[in-house]
Amino acid sequence: VKTIVVNSGSFQYLSVGNGSPILLLHGLFAQKEQWTEMACYLSASGYLVIAPDLPGYGMSVNFPIEDYRLEKQVEILHQFTQSLGIEKFDIAGSSMGGAIASMYSKAYPGQIKSLAFIGAPMGFSAWGAGVKAAFYRGINPFIPISNEEFNLAMQLLFYKRPVVPESIQRDLIADYQKSNRHYQQVWDIVNLYLYGMEKIPPGSIPTLLLWGEEDRIFEVDGMRKAQQKFPKNHHFIIKEAGHLLMLETPKEVAAIYIRFLKSR
């Protein structure tokens, strides 16, 4: 775990391995640690893996609310890579991180060797039926403020729900309650990009599309739109997996990603 100052904010990131660099970007209200297991597989195959807490998330702090705009996230990430001296790299993202990775590849094409969506990226399709049903009940499953809402969030995010210790669940819910206004502000900003990827022109960069067959956040039918936007794509549907592939099937996903990286 390392820390670097970018603008007025403090960036914290994981760094492991040596070789060609890969930048891994997490999703909304997530953190760098979601990539830990997959980063180990990638680094063992000869890559330098860098997984930051995105500006304002996790332990990357002191960024103003305006920096949650995805265009601003791209700009700050560019400054981050420049500060690390990384000129060319492969970029991959999960959910919101996939949208940011795609936007980065458009903004700074000279830096990007390939793009990968590790799970459904935000911006190509509407919320899944279960997410919409929660909204209709007045529940935002991404900001759970009770045990019932937390359990619903886990059901939507995972096909096979992991065991979360009661103490950690209690602390997470307490944080969502205490900082609820902040989470709502961030949600309002990020939700503006729900169909954001539909507006970008088709890309020519080598692209890997991985989608969980049981994804309840962005259902698998959305993969067709993503394929149209990235004609030079390799695509796989991961069976018995939900939205967070790097947590549910890290070994399988890493193996597919490594084959993709070595084949381009």
Side-chain angles (χ1 to χ4, degrees):
V1 178
K2 300 180 179 180
T3 302
I4 189 172
V5 174
V6 178
N7 288 347
S8 61
S10 175
F11 243 114
Q12 190 172 104
Y13 62 101
L14 299 177
S15 178
V16 60
N18 296 284
S20 182
I22 300 173
L23 186 66
L24 301 177
L25 307 180
H26 63 72
L28 179 65
F29 302 142
Q31 59 283 320
K32 61 187 180 301
E33 284 77 14
Q34 289 187 342
W35 294 108
T36 300
E37 189 169 353
M38 189 169 161
C40 290
Y41 292 122
L42 295 174
S43 63
S45 293
Y47 295 94
L48 167 63
V49 183
I50 297 169
D53 280 330
L54 290 170
Y57 297 89
M59 299 303 293
S60 290
V61 296
N62 299 325
F63 292 93
I65 192 69
E66 292 85 358
D67 286 352
Y68 286 95
R69 291 184 297 118
L70 300 196
E71 296 89 349
K72 193 66 176 178
Q73 296 270 312
V74 169
E75 179 185 326
I76 299 171
L77 278 169
H78 177 65
Q79 295 172 340
F80 170 69
T81 61
Q82 293 292 292
S83 297
L84 295 182
I86 302 172
E87 295 300 327
K88 292 186 73 70
F89 54 90
D90 298 282
I91 191 168
S94 165
S95 198
M96 180 192 74
I100 294 172
S102 177
M103 293 171 68
Y104 195 110
S105 71
K106 294 293 183 181
Y108 305 101
Q111 274 194 295
I112 303 303
K113 297 161 67 176
S114 73
L115 170 66
F117 299 117
I118 309 299
M122 186 187 77
F124 289 105
S125 57
W127 297 117
V131 178
K132 291 179 182 177
F135 290 159
Y136 294 145
R137 291 166 53 200
I139 296 172
N140 186 333
F142 302 99
I143 311 175
I145 57 174
S146 68
N147 285 324
E148 177 190 4
E149 293 181 9
F150 184 87
N151 290 332
L152 173 61
M154 297 295 283
Q155 291 168 10
L156 292 171
L157 288 168
F158 295 96
Y159 174 67
K160 297 178 180 177
R161 174 178 173 170
V163 175
V164 179
E166 184 178 340
S167 60
I168 293 178
Q169 179 171 327
R170 185 171 57 248
D171 290 344
L172 289 170
I173 293 171
D175 180 56
Y176 282 120
Q177 292 173 339
K178 178 182 177 182
S179 303
N180 192 261
R181 174 59 178 160
H182 172 74
Y183 283 112
Q184 291 290 346
Q185 288 175 320
V186 175
W187 168 262
D188 288 343
I189 293 171
V190 174
N191 197 40
L192 295 173
Y193 297 86
L194 181 57
Y195 292 103
M197 296 302 101
E198 291 189 347
K199 301 175 183 177
I200 65 173
S204 59
I205 186 172
T207 303
L208 176 66
L209 291 166
L210 301 180
W211 212 294
E213 187 175 44
E214 307 297 334
D215 194 323
R216 299 182 182 98
I217 304 299
F218 299 117
E219 293 167 0
V220 72
D221 289 348
M223 178 181 261
R224 289 195 294 270
K225 290 183 179 179
Q227 288 177 259
Q228 293 170 0
K229 285 292 182 182
F230 300 95
K232 293 185 178 180
N233 74 79
H234 299 242
H235 56 277
F236 299 86
I237 295 175
I238 310 300
K239 296 185 180 299
E240 297 187 352
H243 189 59
L244 299 178
L245 297 182
M246 68 285 207
L247 292 177
E248 280 201 89
T249 57
K251 187 175 183 179
E252 178 183 0
V253 167
I256 294 172
Y257 189 27
I258 291 166
R259 288 199 300 271
F260 166 76
L261 291 172
K262 293 186 181 300
S263 68
R264 55 176 175 72

